[in-house]
Amino acid sequence: YKSDKPGTAPDCGMDLVPKYADDGGGQDMAAGTVNIGAGKQQLMGVRTATVEQKPVVRDIRATAQIVPDETKIAHIHVKVSGFVEKVYVDFVGQMVKQGQPVFTLYSPDLVATQEEYLIAKRGERTLSGAPYQEVSQGAQSLLRSARQRLKLWDISDAQIKKLDETGEVSKTITIYSPITGFVTDRKVFPNVSVTPDMDLYVVSDLSHVWATADI
């Protein structure tokens, strides 16, 4: 609002401020220029700087929870029910190497399958020279089936080879750690029965971890 005499602006009630021709009012100022006095600039906190192109960076500080990398966690289960006999890894936080024995398991089903395997092996050896090919092939099929059942229960080739060489049934099998890492959970104790649905050990490779932060 402009006026040629002192007073107040009718639209907002603010006092009119005198404007003189010699106060830098701007005959030589470029179009679109806004002129703000030094005192008002200080009150407004106006700061100026030369325009330049550079990355815009902001530091954010937050608390975070350090957790294992979910892609480097192994869960140890058994594929046959049985009873824990000897425990080699017996506390949470223990460091284990890949292939290190964790515990031994006694399973009646596993013992019976080993006996079936040895019987099938003797039958295959006895019937390999049978005059009827069907008899020989049947014995070989039984042997393959018993061997495959052992492998499906995580009996290693080395353990099956020992069974072949000695002809003696192993009362227990040894369960090994699948990765190198630290035990972060344990539910295995001596003389305790276990089933395939139980999560017996959790081993975490902590060489790479995640930081979960709330921003």
Side-chain angles (χ1 to χ4, degrees), residues 24-66:
Q27 296 297 329
D28 57 348
M29 296 176 63
T33 300
V34 177
N35 185 23
I36 302 175
K40 289 187 177 180
Q41 289 190 36
Q42 184 174 6
L43 291 174
M44 296 167 60
V46 175
R47 294 181 298 171
T48 61
T50 303
V51 176
E52 58 181 323
Q53 183 174 348
K54 63 181 182 179
V56 178
V57 179
R58 180 184 179 189
D59 292 334
I60 299 177
R61 298 182 180 275
T63 58
Q65 182 181 13
I66 306 301

Side-chain angles (χ1 to χ4, degrees), residues 62-140:
T63 58
Q65 182 181 13
I66 306 301
V67 296
D69 183 345
E70 292 182 2
T71 64
K72 298 180 180 293
I73 296 177
H75 297 261
I76 299 179
H77 294 257
V78 292
K79 294 183 178 180
V80 59
S81 299
F83 299 87
V84 176
E85 287 214 340
K86 188 170 184 178
V87 176
Y88 299 103
V89 178
D90 54 2
F91 64 90
V92 172
Q94 184 172 348
M95 173 75 176
V96 294
K97 299 287 187 180
Q98 184 176 12
Q100 177 180 332
V102 179
F103 67 95
T104 60
L105 176 74
Y106 165 69
S107 170
D109 293 336
L110 194 56
V111 171
T113 302
Q114 291 181 79
E115 293 173 344
E116 292 175 9
Y117 176 79
L118 292 176
I119 292 172
K121 188 173 183 64
R122 287 195 296 269
E124 188 270 340
R125 187 164 50 244
T126 303
L127 299 175
S128 60
Y132 299 102
Q133 187 176 4
E134 294 80 0
V135 175
S136 177
Q137 290 178 346
Q140 293 174 1

